[in-house]
Amino acid sequence: MMTKEQAVAYIKSEYGVEADYPWEELDAFVFRHRVSRKWFCLFMDIPANRLGLNEDTIITVINLKAPKSMREDLLREEGIYPAYHMNKQHWISLDLRKANKKMLEVLMDMSFKATGLKKDL
């Protein structure tokens, strides 16, 4: 398991970027590439039922870009869902309460690489 704070710390140390808060009214923030400004990670607090869960709680999810070739396999993993509020063909949502730390790091790395330009990397 990885906490929101641990995930944020990993991103900051690994990619040298700070969180960006594009919406004043939402409890959400993104991480962008320094050069292209493209998002590679979106953190949101949402009702669990938005992911089809039978829960009445607010959870933290991380949206990441995932390779199409891996998407179906990833969706079989506990805590990984079609992306909430993003293109479901290219993005996935991870329930942070259930995210495996190592898998999350690998998926963040893949999302970073999938959304960047060569000069971003």
Side-chain angles (χ1 to χ4, degrees):
M1 187 169 123
M2 183 181 264
T3 66
K4 183 192 295 190
E5 293 76 19
Q6 290 170 322
V8 167
Y10 176 82
I11 291 169
K12 287 179 177 183
S13 71
E14 198 66 24
Y15 311 117
V17 295
E18 293 293 324
D20 183 20
Y21 297 83
W23 309 281
E24 289 181 23
E25 69 282 355
L26 295 178
D27 192 9
F29 56 95
V30 301
F31 284 94
R32 301 174 186 262
H33 288 273
R34 287 185 302 272
V35 176
S36 69
R37 307 296 298 151
K38 287 184 177 185
W39 299 2
F40 64 91
C41 186
L42 165 64
F43 285 76
M44 294 183 288
D45 291 338
I46 63 170
N49 61 16
R50 299 265 172 98
L51 293 178
L53 302 174
N54 192 19
E55 298 177 36
D56 195 26
T57 58
I58 301 295
I59 63 171
T60 300
V61 296
I62 301 176
N63 281 6
L64 299 167
K65 190 163 189 179
K68 278 184 160 182
S69 61
M70 294 180 63
R71 189 176 174 283
E72 292 305 314
D73 289 334
L74 289 170
L75 293 175
R76 290 187 193 103
E77 296 288 330
E78 182 180 12
I80 300 180
Y81 304 92
Y84 172 72
H85 205 59
M86 291 181 81
N87 184 320
K88 290 172 181 25
Q89 290 182 19
H90 301 283
W91 293 79
I92 55 174
S93 288
L94 286 83
D95 180 346
L96 249 186
R97 303 171 303 169
K98 300 176 182 176
N100 171 292
K101 181 181 183 293
K102 188 60 184 166
M103 179 183 279
L104 183 53
E105 289 174 353
V106 168
L107 291 172
M108 286 189 283
D109 293 343
M110 289 172 56
S111 184
F112 182 81
K113 289 175 183 158
T115 56
L117 305 171
K118 290 233 184 255
K119 57 186 170 182
D120 284 322
L121 307 175

